[in-house]
Amino acid sequence: MLSTQSAHLRRSKTSQPMRKPHPGGGTEKLPMTEPAPREMRLMRASCRRGTAACPIRSCDQRGWKAEQPAGRWGGAGSPAPTLQCPSPGVLPPSLPAMAHAARLLAALAALLAAAATGDARPSKIAVVGAGIGGSAVAHFLQQHFGPRVQIDVFEKGTVGGRLATISVNKQHYESGAASFHSLSLHMQGFVKQLGLRHRREVGGRSAIFNGENFVLEETDWYLLNLFRLWWHYGISFLRLQMWVEEVMEKFMRIYKYQAHGYAFSGVEELLYSLGESAFVNMTQRSVAESLLQVGVTQRFIDDVVSAVLRASYGQSAAMPAFAGAMSLAGAQGSLWSVEGGNKLVCSGLLKLTKANVIHATVTTVTLQPTEGKPLYRVRYENEAGTGSDNYDIVVIATPLHLDNSSTIAFEGFDPPIDVVQGSFQPTVVSLVHGYLNSSYFGFPDPKLFPFANILTTDFPSFFCALDNICPVNISASFRRKQPQEAAVWRVQSPQPLLRSQLKTLFRSYYSVQTAEWQAHPVHSPHTPLPRFTLHDQLFHLNALEWAASSVEVTAVAAKNVALLAFNRWYQDLDKIDQKDLMHKVKTEL
């Protein structure tokens, strides 16, 4: 705290602009203007009777006195800081230089007030997990607290988490989240800030397979596709689109709330701020129930909606409506991915943040007995042995409950930390380099097979989706492999594929490489909504995935946790769990 205070005092005597912390993150520059010679003489004449050093630049006289506010600078209810000179009548009140000097003195008084009330920045922050959640929250935390805060990111595996690639025949292919929705504003911002590029899309047609034949086939003509949907399902597809758009329109409010610095301590509070009780109720009702209520037919749900949910979540239309709406939104909008691999976003954010990545497994978080703000001791294990360190803020950016066991132990907390008990949906991604067996899908001649993406209904049960995928680096001359050629196919299944199942899908193949991971929570209407705040400065970022799970939703949770940590650290409680935020935001605008 003293070093921070002295650093600001040093800057006030140099030619560098003064800065103040800003609730929305970063700092705000305060202009400095050198007073004119006559003005400086008057100012010095007024400052020769005091005992404190005058903070006006180039003035080493005495006499300035700061009146400090009782609360934190910038907080709700805190009076604006003022500074008074012992002989104010000598100063010419209308000079422009005096206005600049007053702003400078006000900022200095604010810094002194913050130091007096103990509102120094945290010195060390721990983030557990280096996936998109951990890397994004490290980035947002640095934005709000500044670059002086040391951020340690613990990762037991590879950076990127669910954003990963697999090498096949000297080319890299996405094995995790393959694409993002065009409305993924945080991901769009990361890509722009890191100087990454969108990958060139190579078009391909889709179809839905029910185990015997294709129930829906996409063509190259948009109007013909609409006619087929209407012919088979009436206006159900329009009612589905209207339902999803209504949900997404309300969900997009979160970006405006976060831009104004508002945060939420629990998932239920966040959902209520976006869609009030309707959003909360959507976590307790199934997709099928909600869609039937708005007039979508059962046949459309069985054929189309179930296929989309199986491809994205590996689950059925019995899953909660809110998570289902997030998944169906991704199927309707334009999609994009990152040139070179989506995992570049994670590594790029950590590099930009200059975070200290520690390759270790965190085993225990212990609350240390201290006065004032809490302190947490993080214990970890790696190949070098065991270690531990103390942190002011700890963010858990990884699931806390996997395989019916807790991943991290919490000690010294009273009451004990309550972790949501639930299971995760296992997902196996198999990258198969080989020749597709088009006869299984009703096309004896492989040259006539027109589809690059195949979704499935409840049958066949051994795989959920099959895609002819492109590498993460696509040249201008790249073309998608023809059906009769050997290509790389991505097969998504709930269990590893047996040899007999591979022979069912492929005439022959050169290689099979798999990635098995706990992709998403098993969403259930009976699962309670967890909280982001586990303790005063201990947060669980992945709490939001129990309501909906996607890369962009995780980035939204990362921004919320960073704002939550910032607001709680400086006790800016007016920015946490506020009601009627739409009215408040409109008032601020």
Side-chain angles (χ1 to χ4, degrees), residues 182-200:
S182 58
L183 294 179
S184 300
L185 301 189
H186 282 316
M187 291 299 295
Q188 294 271 24
F190 296 155
V191 169
K192 182 177 181 180
Q193 190 170 5
L194 296 173
L196 301 174
R197 296 183 302 170
H198 288 194
R199 189 186 314 160
R200 183 173 68 88

mmCIF file of all heavy atoms in Angstrom, residues 182-200:
data_model
loop_
_atom_site.group_PDB
_atom_site.id
_atom_site.type_symbol
_atom_site.label_atom_id
_atom_site.label_comp_id
_atom_site.label_asym_id
_atom_site.label_seq_id
_atom_site.Cartn_x
_atom_site.Cartn_y
_atom_site.Cartn_z
ATOM 1 N N SER A 182 -22.130 -15.828 -34.127
ATOM 2 C CA SER A 182 -21.768 -14.456 -34.522
ATOM 3 C C SER A 182 -22.049 -13.445 -33.418
ATOM 4 O O SER A 182 -21.464 -12.360 -33.404
ATOM 5 C CB SER A 182 -22.529 -14.067 -35.794
ATOM 6 O OG SER A 182 -23.933 -14.179 -35.588
ATOM 7 N N LEU A 183 -22.951 -13.767 -32.476
ATOM 8 C CA LEU A 183 -23.261 -12.861 -31.368
ATOM 9 C C LEU A 183 -22.395 -13.104 -30.141
ATOM 10 O O LEU A 183 -22.695 -12.580 -29.064
ATOM 11 C CB LEU A 183 -24.740 -12.998 -30.990
ATOM 12 C CG LEU A 183 -25.749 -12.546 -32.045
ATOM 13 C CD1 LEU A 183 -27.178 -12.757 -31.549
ATOM 14 C CD2 LEU A 183 -25.532 -11.094 -32.443
ATOM 15 N N SER A 184 -21.338 -13.876 -30.268
ATOM 16 C CA SER A 184 -20.410 -14.108 -29.153
ATOM 17 C C SER A 184 -19.504 -12.886 -29.013
ATOM 18 O O SER A 184 -18.371 -12.863 -29.506
ATOM 19 C CB SER A 184 -19.586 -15.380 -29.397
ATOM 20 O OG SER A 184 -20.416 -16.504 -29.506
ATOM 21 N N LEU A 185 -19.999 -11.871 -28.334
ATOM 22 C CA LEU A 185 -19.321 -10.571 -28.336
ATOM 23 C C LEU A 185 -18.002 -10.594 -27.582
ATOM 24 O O LEU A 185 -17.038 -9.922 -27.989
ATOM 25 C CB LEU A 185 -20.250 -9.504 -27.736
ATOM 26 C CG LEU A 185 -21.589 -9.301 -28.459
ATOM 27 C CD1 LEU A 185 -22.311 -8.078 -27.903
ATOM 28 C CD2 LEU A 185 -21.385 -9.153 -29.963
ATOM 29 N N HIS A 186 -17.927 -11.326 -26.483
ATOM 30 C CA HIS A 186 -16.648 -11.395 -25.765
ATOM 31 C C HIS A 186 -15.599 -12.107 -26.609
ATOM 32 O O HIS A 186 -14.445 -11.650 -26.690
ATOM 33 C CB HIS A 186 -16.824 -12.117 -24.432
ATOM 34 C CG HIS A 186 -17.450 -11.275 -23.371
ATOM 35 N ND1 HIS A 186 -17.094 -9.967 -23.139
ATOM 36 C CD2 HIS A 186 -18.435 -11.559 -22.459
ATOM 37 C CE1 HIS A 186 -17.818 -9.476 -22.140
ATOM 38 N NE2 HIS A 186 -18.625 -10.416 -21.716
ATOM 39 N N MET A 187 -15.961 -13.205 -27.237
ATOM 40 C CA MET A 187 -15.002 -13.915 -28.086
ATOM 41 C C MET A 187 -14.593 -13.059 -29.284
ATOM 42 O O MET A 187 -13.422 -13.049 -29.681
ATOM 43 C CB MET A 187 -15.595 -15.244 -28.551
ATOM 44 C CG MET A 187 -15.773 -16.270 -27.442
ATOM 45 S SD MET A 187 -14.215 -16.728 -26.645
ATOM 46 C CE MET A 187 -13.354 -17.516 -28.006
ATOM 47 N N GLN A 188 -15.538 -12.347 -29.852
ATOM 48 C CA GLN A 188 -15.203 -11.433 -30.950
ATOM 49 C C GLN A 188 -14.202 -10.379 -30.482
ATOM 50 O O GLN A 188 -13.245 -10.043 -31.189
ATOM 51 C CB GLN A 188 -16.475 -10.746 -31.465
ATOM 52 C CG GLN A 188 -17.476 -11.682 -32.134
ATOM 53 C CD GLN A 188 -17.223 -11.851 -33.621
ATOM 54 O OE1 GLN A 188 -16.101 -11.663 -34.098
ATOM 55 N NE2 GLN A 188 -18.248 -12.229 -34.354
ATOM 56 N N GLY A 189 -14.414 -9.868 -29.273
ATOM 57 C CA GLY A 189 -13.496 -8.868 -28.737
ATOM 58 C C GLY A 189 -12.111 -9.427 -28.483
ATOM 59 O O GLY A 189 -11.104 -8.757 -28.749
ATOM 60 N N PHE A 190 -12.030 -10.661 -27.983
ATOM 61 C CA PHE A 190 -10.724 -11.279 -27.749
ATOM 62 C C PHE A 190 -9.946 -11.419 -29.056
ATOM 63 O O PHE A 190 -8.747 -11.109 -29.122
ATOM 64 C CB PHE A 190 -10.890 -12.660 -27.112
ATOM 65 C CG PHE A 190 -11.507 -12.643 -25.741
ATOM 66 C CD1 PHE A 190 -12.194 -13.751 -25.254
ATOM 67 C CD2 PHE A 190 -11.408 -11.526 -24.930
ATOM 68 C CE1 PHE A 190 -12.763 -13.742 -24.001
ATOM 69 C CE2 PHE A 190 -11.970 -11.497 -23.670
ATOM 70 C CZ PHE A 190 -12.651 -12.618 -23.207
ATOM 71 N N VAL A 191 -10.628 -11.912 -30.079
ATOM 72 C CA VAL A 191 -9.966 -12.135 -31.367
ATOM 73 C C VAL A 191 -9.445 -10.817 -31.939
ATOM 74 O O VAL A 191 -8.314 -10.733 -32.444
ATOM 75 C CB VAL A 191 -10.941 -12.816 -32.354
ATOM 76 C CG1 VAL A 191 -10.383 -12.805 -33.772
ATOM 77 C CG2 VAL A 191 -11.227 -14.244 -31.912
ATOM 78 N N LYS A 192 -10.241 -9.765 -31.837
ATOM 79 C CA LYS A 192 -9.818 -8.462 -32.344
ATOM 80 C C LYS A 192 -8.657 -7.909 -31.537
ATOM 81 O O LYS A 192 -7.684 -7.379 -32.095
ATOM 82 C CB LYS A 192 -11.005 -7.493 -32.318
ATOM 83 C CG LYS A 192 -10.684 -6.114 -32.861
ATOM 84 C CD LYS A 192 -11.922 -5.225 -32.865
ATOM 85 C CE LYS A 192 -11.605 -3.844 -33.425
ATOM 86 N NZ LYS A 192 -12.820 -2.964 -33.419
ATOM 87 N N GLN A 193 -8.724 -8.035 -30.219
ATOM 88 C CA GLN A 193 -7.673 -7.492 -29.363
ATOM 89 C C GLN A 193 -6.351 -8.231 -29.546
ATOM 90 O O GLN A 193 -5.272 -7.629 -29.462
ATOM 91 C CB GLN A 193 -8.111 -7.571 -27.902
ATOM 92 C CG GLN A 193 -7.212 -6.814 -26.939
ATOM 93 C CD GLN A 193 -7.814 -6.712 -25.555
ATOM 94 O OE1 GLN A 193 -8.864 -7.293 -25.283
ATOM 95 N NE2 GLN A 193 -7.173 -5.969 -24.672
ATOM 96 N N LEU A 194 -6.416 -9.529 -29.806
ATOM 97 C CA LEU A 194 -5.210 -10.330 -29.971
ATOM 98 C C LEU A 194 -4.667 -10.303 -31.396
ATOM 99 O O LEU A 194 -3.605 -10.872 -31.659
ATOM 100 C CB LEU A 194 -5.488 -11.780 -29.561
ATOM 101 C CG LEU A 194 -5.852 -12.000 -28.087
ATOM 102 C CD1 LEU A 194 -6.271 -13.453 -27.851
ATOM 103 C CD2 LEU A 194 -4.680 -11.638 -27.192
ATOM 104 N N GLY A 195 -5.382 -9.677 -32.301
ATOM 105 C CA GLY A 195 -4.921 -9.619 -33.688
ATOM 106 C C GLY A 195 -5.073 -10.933 -34.435
ATOM 107 O O GLY A 195 -4.364 -11.161 -35.424
ATOM 108 N N LEU A 196 -5.995 -11.790 -33.983
ATOM 109 C CA LEU A 196 -6.254 -13.053 -34.666
ATOM 110 C C LEU A 196 -7.237 -12.832 -35.806
ATOM 111 O O LEU A 196 -7.861 -11.778 -35.914
ATOM 112 C CB LEU A 196 -6.792 -14.092 -33.677
ATOM 113 C CG LEU A 196 -5.879 -14.417 -32.488
ATOM 114 C CD1 LEU A 196 -6.597 -15.334 -31.508
ATOM 115 C CD2 LEU A 196 -4.580 -15.053 -32.963
ATOM 116 N N ARG A 197 -7.393 -13.861 -36.629
ATOM 117 C CA ARG A 197 -8.283 -13.752 -37.789
ATOM 118 C C ARG A 197 -9.326 -14.852 -37.766
ATOM 119 O O ARG A 197 -9.102 -15.929 -37.218
ATOM 120 C CB ARG A 197 -7.490 -13.836 -39.098
ATOM 121 C CG ARG A 197 -6.496 -12.695 -39.324
ATOM 122 C CD ARG A 197 -5.828 -12.837 -40.666
ATOM 123 N NE ARG A 197 -5.136 -14.120 -40.799
ATOM 124 C CZ ARG A 197 -4.624 -14.588 -41.935
ATOM 125 N NH1 ARG A 197 -4.739 -13.878 -43.050
ATOM 126 N NH2 ARG A 197 -3.999 -15.741 -41.966
ATOM 127 N N HIS A 198 -10.453 -14.561 -38.407
ATOM 128 C CA HIS A 198 -11.469 -15.584 -38.585
ATOM 129 C C HIS A 198 -11.022 -16.561 -39.673
ATOM 130 O O HIS A 198 -10.457 -16.155 -40.697
ATOM 131 C CB HIS A 198 -12.814 -14.961 -38.991
ATOM 132 C CG HIS A 198 -13.479 -14.236 -37.855
ATOM 133 N ND1 HIS A 198 -14.799 -13.842 -37.899
ATOM 134 C CD2 HIS A 198 -13.023 -13.845 -36.644
ATOM 135 C CE1 HIS A 198 -15.121 -13.246 -36.772
ATOM 136 N NE2 HIS A 198 -14.048 -13.223 -35.998
ATOM 137 N N ARG A 199 -11.306 -17.818 -39.440
ATOM 138 C CA ARG A 199 -10.946 -18.840 -40.417
ATOM 139 C C ARG A 199 -11.921 -18.804 -41.585
ATOM 140 O O ARG A 199 -13.125 -18.623 -41.396
ATOM 141 C CB ARG A 199 -10.979 -20.215 -39.755
ATOM 142 C CG ARG A 199 -10.407 -21.352 -40.603
ATOM 143 C CD ARG A 199 -10.632 -22.680 -39.919
ATOM 144 N NE ARG A 199 -10.269 -22.616 -38.503
ATOM 145 C CZ ARG A 199 -10.700 -23.475 -37.598
ATOM 146 N NH1 ARG A 199 -11.524 -24.454 -37.944
ATOM 147 N NH2 ARG A 199 -10.315 -23.360 -36.341
ATOM 148 N N ARG A 200 -11.388 -18.977 -42.783
ATOM 149 C CA ARG A 200 -12.244 -19.024 -43.969
ATOM 150 C C ARG A 200 -13.128 -20.260 -43.923
ATOM 151 O O ARG A 200 -12.660 -21.365 -43.681
ATOM 152 C CB ARG A 200 -11.383 -19.044 -45.239
ATOM 153 C CG ARG A 200 -12.192 -19.024 -46.529
ATOM 154 C CD ARG A 200 -11.268 -18.879 -47.724
ATOM 155 N NE ARG A 200 -10.442 -20.057 -47.934
ATOM 156 C CZ ARG A 200 -10.819 -21.113 -48.671
ATOM 157 N NH1 ARG A 200 -12.004 -21.127 -49.230
ATOM 158 N NH2 ARG A 200 -10.002 -22.137 -48.819
#
